[in-house]
Amino acid sequence: MSDPYSDLGSQNKKVQAQIADALDSRCLDPSQVAIRAAYLSGLQLPADALAVEFGSGTGHVTKDLLTMAGAARAVGIEPSPILAQRAIERFSDDDRLSFEIGDAKRTGLPTGSVDLVLMHTLLCHVPGPEDVLKEAFRVLKPGGVLAICDGDYDTATAQIADFDPLDQLVRFMINQNVTNLWIMRQIGGMLTECGFNMGARQGHGYVADGDAAYFMTVIARGAERMVETGLLLSETAEALKAEAVARLKENRFFGFMSYVSQIATKPV
Ligand SMILES: C[S@@+](CC[C@H](N)C(=O)[O-])C[C@H]1O[C@@H](n2cnc3c(N)ncnc32)[C@H](O)[C@@H]1O
């Protein structure tokens, strides 16, 4: 199956709504908030900075551009009308924030007009990520900042012992929902090729904690997708989901993934 995030606007409404719920859950997770703060809060921006998030989903991370990065205005660009509408409804009370339906490869923004471009878990879903980087390079002002953060997806796991069947659900979910698992291991070469100067690179470990809400959506979506593809009986999928819930209740659940952030600048 092709990665549904790569063309979310053409997925059925149920899939878009399920993804919107999963994004909301992930964005609000305190450990995920901490990852975003770790790479966004140290950026040096001018006082009246305009920031743009490419692939803004349900809008939480676009808001971080104001609260964490210190931008004066922030715009989110998102191809899925359902996700963009959710962002508009949730954040319409803040007139420093706006959201547009659009494609990160062709934003329509004026050349050299933006101080900060953010791509948070976007590039792993885009076939031809080089075209998105070229568009960021075009719209950034000289000296403008590009911030990229994505999962290092080969590290995603729920495994607590050899041959743990729950881990297969995580791996299947990643396999079915990510276009390029290796994007953050390849990004340095792509940025250099595009003409960017490299800035800080950081690794961020994410351990599911508390109700493990985001990891539970990964487990559930992996199990449901295995049923859709005919790999599992629905009874087996329900049993595996119940195993995850039981582990959580008994403090035996473990979920982990690394994220990597990379800052780059457009030469002056
Ligand atoms: C995993 S979500 C991340 C959303 C948001 N950045 C967040 O972290 O909550 C990836 C988003 O990228 C969007 N996307 C995929 N291809 C895109 C493209 N070519 N241009 C802009 N956005 C795109 C998807 O629709 C989806 O909302």
Side-chain angles (χ1 to χ4, degrees):
M1 179 208 183
S2 66
D3 171 2
Y5 290 86
S6 67
D7 189 13
L8 204 47
S10 71
Q11 303 294 320
N12 70 46
K13 286 188 176 169
K14 185 179 164 226
V15 170
Q16 292 188 57
Q18 191 185 34
I19 285 177
D21 291 343
L23 287 176
D24 281 342
S25 168
R26 188 182 73 172
C27 284
L28 295 169
D29 181 330
S31 306
Q32 292 279 341
V33 175
I35 289 172
R36 304 198 303 267
Y39 75 91
L40 285 176
S41 52
L43 302 176
Q44 304 294 322
L45 298 181
D48 60 346
L50 169 64
V52 180
E53 185 186 7
F54 288 7
S56 48
T58 53
H60 298 270
V61 183
T62 315
K63 184 161 188 184
D64 294 340
L65 293 172
L66 304 175
T67 57
M68 294 178 184
R73 289 168 297 141
V75 179
I77 296 179
E78 167 58 45
S80 157
I82 290 184
L83 270 61
Q85 190 53 35
R86 238 192 229 208
I88 290 165
E89 281 161 16
R90 182 167 290 120
F91 298 111
S92 60
D93 57 335
D94 190 335
D95 60 10
R96 300 169 300 166
L97 269 179
S98 60
F99 296 93
E100 292 168 15
I101 294 171
D103 184 342
K105 292 182 180 175
R106 291 169 290 275
T107 61
L109 293 165
T111 298
S113 62
V114 177
D115 297 285
L116 168 63
V117 170
L118 172 63
M119 301 169 190
H120 188 86
T121 63
L122 165 69
L123 283 184
C124 69
H125 297 297
V126 183
E130 296 87 351
D131 293 338
V132 178
L133 296 178
K134 277 184 199 151
E135 178 67 354
F137 193 88
R138 183 187 73 75
V139 304
L140 279 169
K141 295 176 184 171
V145 178
L146 172 61
I148 299 173
C149 182
D150 223 312
D152 186 34
Y153 292 95
D154 197 47
T155 61
T157 184
Q159 186 159 357
I160 61 170
D162 281 346
F163 311 113
D164 184 341
L166 280 195
D167 199 48
Q168 294 304 310
L169 300 182
V170 173
R171 292 188 172 276
F172 193 71
M173 159 67 193
I174 298 286
N175 177 273
Q176 297 275 300
N177 285 275
V178 175
T179 296
N180 184 347
L181 275 68
W182 311 101
I183 187 72
M184 292 313 292
R185 302 188 191 191
Q186 299 168 353
I187 198 70
M190 288 183 193
L191 287 167
T192 304
E193 179 79 10
C194 198
F196 282 100
N197 293 332
M198 298 291 277
R201 175 181 292 180
Q202 285 179 262
H204 314 269
Y206 170 67
V207 184
D209 196 14
D211 63 3
Y214 174 62
F215 248 90
M216 286 295 132
T217 74
V218 171
I219 298 273
R221 287 183 292 159
E224 283 156 22
R225 189 76 197 123
M226 280 192 178
V227 174
E228 283 161 20
T229 56
L231 190 56
L232 282 188
L233 293 173
S234 59
E235 292 86 340
T236 318
E238 289 309 314
L240 288 169
K241 285 197 266 180
E243 168 71 23
V245 172
R247 279 190 197 179
L248 196 62
K249 274 194 192 136
E250 296 158 10
N251 295 323
R252 290 190 301 115
F253 184 79
F254 181 81
F256 176 84
M257 182 164 96
S258 294
Y259 287 77
V260 176
S261 59
Q262 176 70 61
I263 306 300
T265 51
K266 179 169 171 173
V268 178

